Amino acid sequence: MGGPPLCEVPKVQRNRLAKHAPIWHSRNAFDPTFSREYKTIMTSSLLIENGTVLVTSPAPTILQDASVLVENGRFVRICPKSEMKRTADKRIDASRKLVLPGFINAHTHFYSSFARGLSKTKPATTFVDVLKNLWWRLDSALTIDDCYYSALLALLDSIRHGTTTIIDHHASPRAVVGSLAAIEKAVTETGLRACLCYELSDRDGEQIAQQGLDENVSFIRHCQKQKNDRVTALFGLHAAFTLGDKTLETAAKLGHDLGAGFHIHVAEAASDQEFSEANFGMRVVERLKKFEILGRQSIAAHCVHVNPREMEILAETQTAVVHNPQSNMNNAVGVADIITMERAGVLVGLGTDAMTSNMLEELRAALWAQHLSAKNPAVGFVEVGTALFVNNPKIAGRVFGFPLGELREGGLADIVIMDYDPPTPLDGSNYWGHMVFGVSQAAVDTTIVGGKVLMENKRLALDIDEQRVNARARELATKMWQRL
Ligand SMILES: [Zn+2]
């Protein structure tokens, strides 16, 4: 690419996994994407007043006209306003607003941001054609700068939708080395929490597979060394049907040696199972069990086409399944039977697979999909609510190593404040109904991670010029589309 660089990922980060301090500490003075003014609100204490607050534990409870005190990134006191005797460096008035724990997206792909509006693909009538005609052409065209900017777009969109923790799955086979460091830089600059991985695959040959192995190993080591509570890693694998036994075995050994879990697409389409049975004489989940890819820290995304025996294996190995209903409907691959899976003891969470950053939109879609699939409007409510509000925090807690997604005294202060003055009774027993039918249609006003305000009054409180980011992303996406 010609022309002078404009806020590209510095070369040093492409070559080694340096620890990246937040942008407000390490900002490059020549970097035009970031304004000169330090906008990020750096407060050690924060008091949210007058809001309707969902306290998540020990049992979900709604507190009206409540005060929430945050100190050093944690909730220290949640109580009726009349009982709050303390003050703070910063106050937020949450009158006529609902204060919730930040949402968690348990499976997505930041790099998909550059696909929006792309029409340069051949029609696809099968899932494998969707991959071949769109996603594998797109990810092969990504540069390191594309990885950084596509992540930045997705992260800013997550802030706007109150999604504070994201589990990402990244692919850029012509720009593998340093891709996770570039994404980490975007995560650090936006102040969100993210779990990253590189999707290892044999589809591009041995050399790129080796780079995929190395990228996962280096980044996991980097995360283990830096012990950053905002960024962590899993060992990424694309899917069983693009991984030969040799690569799976190598990945499993490397992952086990590092003590890392795995993040892989499982039985997203029936073709994954057909390929596995034809080539390996076993089902996909059985093959992953054989290679010890499954486990308490591992994530199996989709599981649309798993049989009862595979569900048993997922439950026995405590592997988390992440359901992505909008993606499954878009790709016409079917609807995962999360009701049977949850009954079988599988921990089922909810992800967007890059369809959106809005977890409440995904929640609604999940519910409609279960209704339609079962042709029964009475099913699925508990399972989808559990997936987002109970199981996603558990999954995030497993991969980060500490509890997340809980609004309780002592918990990490990841918060979303939404415009919502309930027009009907709201309490701890019916809040899921409000989420599906009311809160999902409300605007996110304020997003906070670890006590740091990232957006307030619907304006980003970051040291990032969103218009410049969008302008640069458009330039890069235009060039990327030309390379397809
Ligand atoms: Zn995916």
Side-chain angles (χ1 to χ4, degrees), residues 291-324:
F291 286 96
E292 298 182 46
I293 297 298
L294 306 175
R296 197 168 184 279
Q297 294 230 57
S298 290
I299 292 175
H302 299 295
C303 293
V304 177
H305 298 274
V306 289
N307 66 21
R309 174 60 195 137
E310 290 177 293
M311 290 183 195
E312 269 178 33
I313 295 171
L314 292 164
E316 281 162 19
T317 55
Q318 300 185 59
T319 307
V321 167
V322 177
H323 178 43
N324 304 273

Side-chain angles (χ1 to χ4, degrees), residues 136-165:
W136 290 352
R137 287 175 66 204
L138 185 142
D139 66 22
S140 292
L142 292 169
T143 63
I144 292 291
D145 293 329
D146 296 336
C147 297
Y148 167 75
Y149 273 94
S150 55
L152 208 46
L153 295 178
L155 289 156
L156 294 174
D157 201 49
S158 296
I159 293 174
R160 292 210 170 276
H161 291 99
T163 302
T164 52
T165 297

Side-chain angles (χ1 to χ4, degrees), residues 50-54 62-66 94 97-99 420 422 426:
N50 311 315
T52 300
V53 178
L54 170 66
I62 295 286
L63 284 185
Q64 306 284 355
D65 199 17
K97 293 185 172 60
L98 186 59
V99 181
Y420 194 66
L426 164 65

Side-chain angles (χ1 to χ4, degrees), residues 445-461:
D445 182 81
T446 296
T447 303
I448 297 165
V449 174
K452 190 186 298 290
V453 178
L454 307 182
M455 182 173 79
E456 186 178 6
N457 297 325
K458 303 175 186 67
R459 291 172 69 94
L460 290 180

